[in-house]
Amino acid sequence: MESNSLVTQEKNNLPAQGEPNSQGHPPGEAAMAEDNSHHQFITFTVGDQEYGVDIMSVREIKGWVETTLLPNTPEYMRGVLNLRGVIVPIFDLRCRFGLGKTEATNLHVIVIIAVKNRMVGILVDTVSDILTVSNSDIRDVPKMETLIEEEYLSGLVTIEERMVALLNQERLFDAKMIDSGIAMSKMDET
């Protein structure tokens, strides 16, 4: 998949430990300060909206595959997937935002991300891009009447004519919900 190669290509372009970076700076304080002033995000779409997650939390990007449905889970939890021996709960981001359930096809994508010490998958429409943005380009989420957007977003970035909403994955997928989904899948295996 092209998106998978984007992640691999971007990670392969990083200098090896001890080598100068692309601007010729040796590793050390100046290079670290420069690295800390920029963030990279994988962006993806859900409907007409574009979202992003920190590239360092992305573990894998894969095409949609059917999941194992579990009883008594929220509607936005599509089920679980066995990913090389690891049980990964899959969440429908459209449904999580209250926009209805995604009618998943083989054109949809699952982005596997790390949330604290767990892996989760998020079902999205397409993977768009890898963005490198400066900390100063990340804007606060404006105060709104509903706290839902503000609670799940860590910031907004304007890139040319489009707005990218940056997800706060720790708030979007709380650990209790992930653990209960994984525990239910283990009960179903017995």
Side-chain angles (χ1 to χ4, degrees), residues 77-103:
M77 186 172 168
R78 294 297 291 252
V80 293
L81 187 64
N82 184 340
L83 189 65
R84 293 180 296 282
V86 177
I87 302 299
V88 179
I90 306 299
F91 296 96
D92 183 338
L93 199 57
R94 180 188 316 273
C95 191
R96 182 73 172 113
F97 288 151
L99 303 173
K101 194 171 180 181
T102 300
E103 296 299 324

Side-chain angles (χ1 to χ4, degrees), residues 185-190:
S185 69
K186 289 179 180 176
M187 287 174 33
D188 286 351
E189 289 175 359
T190 58

Side-chain angles (χ1 to χ4, degrees), residues 6-170:
L6 282 174
V7 174
T8 305
Q9 177 185 358
E10 197 64 35
K11 288 183 178 177
N12 288 340
N13 288 337
L14 296 175
Q17 192 170 9
E19 289 182 17
N21 63 21
S22 61
Q23 288 80 27
H25 295 292
E29 283 185 39
M32 281 194 259
E34 184 178 346
D35 289 344
N36 289 336
S37 67
H38 288 79
H39 287 291
Q40 288 189 309
F41 299 93
I42 296 279
T43 63
F44 46 83
T45 61
V46 175
D48 294 333
Q49 181 61 50
E50 193 168 4
Y51 297 95
V53 292
D54 189 317
I55 195 170
M56 298 308 290
S57 69
V58 176
R59 298 296 176 254
E60 187 170 331
I61 297 170
K62 60 186 281 106
W64 168 251
V65 293
E66 289 299 322
T67 59
T68 302
L69 299 175
L70 301 176
N72 302 317
T73 55
E75 183 181 16
Y76 52 83
M77 186 172 168
R78 294 297 291 252
V80 293
L81 187 64
N82 184 340
L83 189 65
R84 293 180 296 282
V86 177
I87 302 299
V88 179
I90 306 299
F91 296 96
D92 183 338
L93 199 57
R94 180 188 316 273
C95 191
R96 182 73 172 113
F97 288 151
L99 303 173
K101 194 171 180 181
T102 300
E103 296 299 324
T105 69
N106 60 357
L107 299 176
H108 285 84
V109 180
I110 299 173
V111 180
I112 308 292
I113 59 174
V115 178
K116 293 191 178 179
N117 61 346
R118 296 278 191 204
M119 287 204 310
V120 300
I122 48 178
L123 173 61
V124 300
D125 295 345
T126 61
V127 172
S128 307
D129 204 355
I130 295 176
L131 294 181
T132 301
V133 296
S134 150
N135 285 345
S136 61
D137 290 335
I138 300 173
R139 302 287 178 230
D140 290 336
V141 178
K143 302 289 181 202
M144 295 175 260
E145 287 183 26
T146 71
L147 296 177
I148 293 173
E149 288 285 327
E150 188 178 331
E151 180 181 351
Y152 298 150
L153 301 180
S154 61
L156 299 169
V157 177
T158 303
I159 306 294
E160 295 167 6
E161 297 297 315
R162 64 192 214 259
M163 178 80 66
V164 178
L166 305 176
L167 296 180
N168 182 332
Q169 54 242 36
E170 289 183 13

